[in-house]
């Protein structure tokens, strides 16, 4: 019988390697599957929702991001910097009291960008001045100058954790700090918005209609699975 055990439900399991010279080595392995319960699940360069909720993305106008080969040889959605490829998903968080979003993206030096908008706000994930954000995703009004030091180049995992009392942005498993805030489901769900011209890739957009606190078992499971699927992301 094999000494290996497969991971279950995205949570790490101990995987034991064969005994060598009387010693047994142990290493952590992670599932490539995400924990269940997602409200929206887009990946592999497709506009088709894999969550089972039939929340497919469609172009806001006539242009759609291209499907291309991107991070770790996976298919991705690619924006070309023309500001004409915004995607929309019918609003789906109306009954939620919190939400958590995980986005794997590749940035190509954009001075500003917003990869998910949920209300009619003048919000930014990164602003042109000073690399700060003016986040408004899952909010009724944007933050002013939160978070600081948002990336503008490279491959990253950006997650948003919004409850009825707190809001936290995490980049590559590093928290940008917790802010007091109330949750707003919003009246839209837009991806790669046109008025924040984006030239880069989105490999994964994963949304849960619940607040998942950073560092808890479900959050760790999601991020471990993301790292398994995209091993070049800059965190362990």
């Amino acid at each position: 019988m094999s000494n290996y055990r497969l991971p279950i439900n995205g949570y790490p399991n101990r995987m034991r390697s064969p005994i060598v010279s009387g010693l047994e080595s142990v290493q952590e392995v992670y599932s490539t599957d995400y924990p269940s319960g997602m409200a929206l699940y887009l990946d592999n360069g497709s506009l088709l929702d894999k969550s089972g909720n039939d929340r497919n993305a469609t172009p806001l106008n006539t242009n759609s991001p291209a499907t291309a080969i991107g991070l770790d040889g996976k298919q991705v959605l690619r924006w070309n910097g023309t500001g004409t490829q915004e995607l929309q998903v019918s609003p789906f968080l109306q009954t939620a009291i919190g939400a958590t979003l995980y986005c794997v993206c590749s940035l190509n030096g954009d001075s500003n960008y917003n990869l998910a908008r949920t209300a009619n706000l003048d919000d930014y994930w990164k602003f042109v001045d000073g690399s700060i954000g003016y986040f408004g995703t899952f909010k009724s009004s944007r933050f002013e100058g939160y978070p600081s030091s948002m990336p503008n180049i490279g491959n990253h995992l950006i997650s948003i954790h919004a409850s009825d009392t707190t809001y936290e942005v995490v980049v590559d498993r590093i928290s940008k700090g917790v802010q007091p805030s109330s949750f707003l489901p919003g009246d839209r769900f837009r991806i790669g918005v046109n008025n924040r011209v984006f030239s880069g890739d989105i490999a994964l957009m994963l949304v849960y209609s619940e607040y998942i606190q950073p560092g808890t078992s479900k959050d760790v499971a999601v991020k471990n699975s993301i790292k398994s699927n995209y091993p070049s992301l800059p965190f362990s």
Side-chain angles (χ1 to χ4, degrees):
M1 181 179 294
S2 170
N3 287 322
Y4 296 94
R5 291 197 297 168
L6 295 175
I8 301 172
N9 294 332
Y11 291 84
N13 287 280
R14 309 297 284 187
M15 183 179 79
R16 302 185 181 277
S17 62
I19 295 174
V20 179
S21 301
L23 299 175
E24 188 181 52
S25 63
V26 178
Q27 68 183 99
E28 300 291 348
V29 294
Y30 304 102
S31 172
T32 56
D33 295 327
Y34 303 113
S36 62
M38 63 279 286
L40 178 69
Y41 175 11
L42 302 175
D43 77 343
N44 200 37
S46 175
L47 304 185
L48 301 180
D49 175 28
K50 294 169 63 176
S51 72
N53 295 304
D54 197 28
R55 294 174 176 141
N56 301 329
T58 58
L60 180 63
N61 298 309
T62 57
N63 297 325
S64 178
T67 299
I69 300 299
L71 179 61
D72 290 312
K74 304 287 181 64
Q75 289 189 317
V76 298
L77 292 171
R78 178 160 295 169
W79 276 253
N80 61 17
T82 60
T84 62
Q85 297 169 296
E86 182 172 338
L87 297 176
Q88 60 183 345
V89 177
S90 295
F92 56 91
L93 295 169
Q94 293 90 333
T95 62
I97 58 173
T100 307
L101 179 152
Y102 301 88
C103 179
V104 174
C105 57
S106 298
L107 308 172
N108 292 328
D110 290 300
S111 59
N112 63 79
Y113 57 88
N114 184 346
L115 302 186
R117 176 174 285 160
T118 55
N120 184 26
L121 299 177
D122 185 33
D123 52 336
Y124 300 74
W125 280 21
K126 178 195 170 293
F127 186 57
V128 64
D129 250 354
S131 296
I132 59 176
Y134 289 80
F135 268 64
T137 311
F138 307 136
K139 285 177 53 61
S140 60
S141 61
R142 73 182 192 181
F143 285 109
E144 299 297 323
Y146 171 83
S148 62
S149 303
M150 288 299 292
N152 75 328
I153 196 164
N155 305 311
H156 300 281
L157 168 60
I158 300 174
S159 59
I160 302 171
H161 306 257
S163 76
D164 57 351
T165 58
T166 63
Y167 193 99
E168 186 171 359
V169 175
V170 180
V171 179
D172 300 326
R173 274 186 161 158
I174 299 175
S175 174
K176 294 295 183 178
V178 180
Q179 300 291 319
S181 181
S182 58
F183 172 75
L184 181 76
D187 61 359
R188 68 199 68 194
F189 193 89
R190 304 285 176 81
I191 302 172
V193 300
N194 287 340
N195 69 338
R196 305 288 177 255
V197 178
F198 177 50
S199 59
D201 301 341
I202 293 179
L204 172 71
M205 183 68 73
L206 188 64
V207 182
Y208 289 85
S209 56
E210 62 179 299
Y211 169 64
I212 303 174
Q213 184 176 349
T216 57
S217 59
K218 188 166 186 176
D219 177 67
V220 170
V222 173
K223 289 173 180 172
N224 285 343
S225 295
I226 289 172
K227 179 64 175 179
S228 293
N229 284 314
Y230 303 98
S232 295
L233 285 169
F235 59 84
S236 57

